[in-house]
Amino acid sequence: PALPGERRYRERGALGQHEVVARFVERVEEYGGRVVSTDAPVSAIADLIHGLAMAAPRDLPAELRPPGAALVEDDGLSAHELDALDGALTTCACACADTGTIALTGGRGEGRRALTLVPALHVCVVRRDQIVETVPELFALLEPAARDGRPIVLVSGPSATSDIELERVEGVHGPRTLVVVLAG
C-alpha cells in the first residue's frame, strides 16, 4: 500500500520507439517549436542557418558543422555578444516524449546555459535514440550529470511566460524560436 502523499506513476514507457518519437514531435510542435526530421542532419542544419551568424560550442561535433556556415565559437562570449548573433546551434543530452522536453547538461556539443538561453534562435540536434517516453526515464538519464553537479537545462518549446496580466509573451527568458533537428 502507498504511504500518505506517496504518488504512484509510471516509471517506464510502454510505447515502441516509433510512437515515442511521434509523441515527442507532437509535443514540441504543440509548444510552438519546429521539428525538422532528417537522415542528413548537416544538410538540414545548413538549410536552417544559411546566412545566419550562429554561436556554437567549441566541442560541437564536426559532422554537425555545415561547410561554410558562419559558426562563432563560444569561448565565453558575453551576453551582449550572444544577443548580437542570430542564434545558437547545439546538441542535447536526451529528450522526453511525454513533455516534448529537451535536456542539456553541458556535455559534448551542448554548450553552456547562456549559449542556449540568450540568442533568439536555438537549433538543437536531437537523435531519435536519445528520446525516452516518460519523465522518470528522463530523470534517470540525467542523474549522473546531477550527481556531478553539472547544470541541467530543460527546454520545452520556445521561451514563454504568462505571469504579467496573464498575457503570453514569448522570448522573455530564452529563445523566441526553437528548431529541433531530429536526426537518425
Side-chain angles (χ1 to χ4, degrees):
L3 297 173
E6 185 179 345
R7 296 176 188 217
R8 301 256 182 199
Y9 51 84
R10 290 183 311 131
E11 292 184 31
R12 287 260 175 252
L15 299 176
Q17 189 61 22
H18 179 74
E19 291 84 7
V20 168
V21 170
R23 180 174 289 174
F24 174 74
V25 169
E26 179 183 329
R27 294 297 193 274
V28 169
E29 291 174 345
E30 281 176 2
Y31 285 135
R34 178 177 166 205
V35 178
V36 176
S37 185
T38 182
D39 288 325
V42 75
S43 264
I45 293 165
D47 290 344
L48 288 166
I49 69 171
H50 178 74
L52 300 178
M54 301 288 287
R58 275 194 150 312
D59 58 357
L60 183 74
E63 63 270 15
L64 298 178
R65 295 173 176 269
L71 295 178
V72 177
E73 298 285 333
D74 180 25
D75 279 326
L77 294 168
S78 70
H80 179 72
E81 290 169 319
L82 286 170
D83 191 43
L85 295 170
D86 296 308
L89 170 63
T90 73
T91 62
C92 73
C94 49
C96 177
D98 279 350
T99 60
T101 300
I102 298 164
L104 304 147
T105 62
R108 182 171 185 248
E110 297 172 44
R112 60 191 175 108
R113 288 182 350 162
L115 179 65
T116 61
L117 295 174
V118 175
L121 167 66
H122 181 192
V123 176
C124 186
V125 179
V126 178
R127 294 187 330 268
R128 292 173 188 275
D129 65 0
Q130 291 180 295
I131 305 169
V132 295
E133 184 178 341
T134 67
V135 171
E137 289 171 299
L138 179 75
F139 284 176
L141 291 175
L142 295 174
E143 186 175 350
R147 285 189 190 281
D148 289 346
R150 296 194 345 233
I152 296 172
V153 176
L154 301 176
V155 178
S156 296
S159 166
T161 185
S162 298
D163 35 335
I164 300 174
E165 297 184 18
L166 299 179
E167 257 190 66
R168 183 175 169 88
V169 178
E170 293 185 2
V172 175
H173 306 294
R176 286 182 220 49
T177 306
L178 171 66
V179 180
V180 173
V181 176
L182 186 57

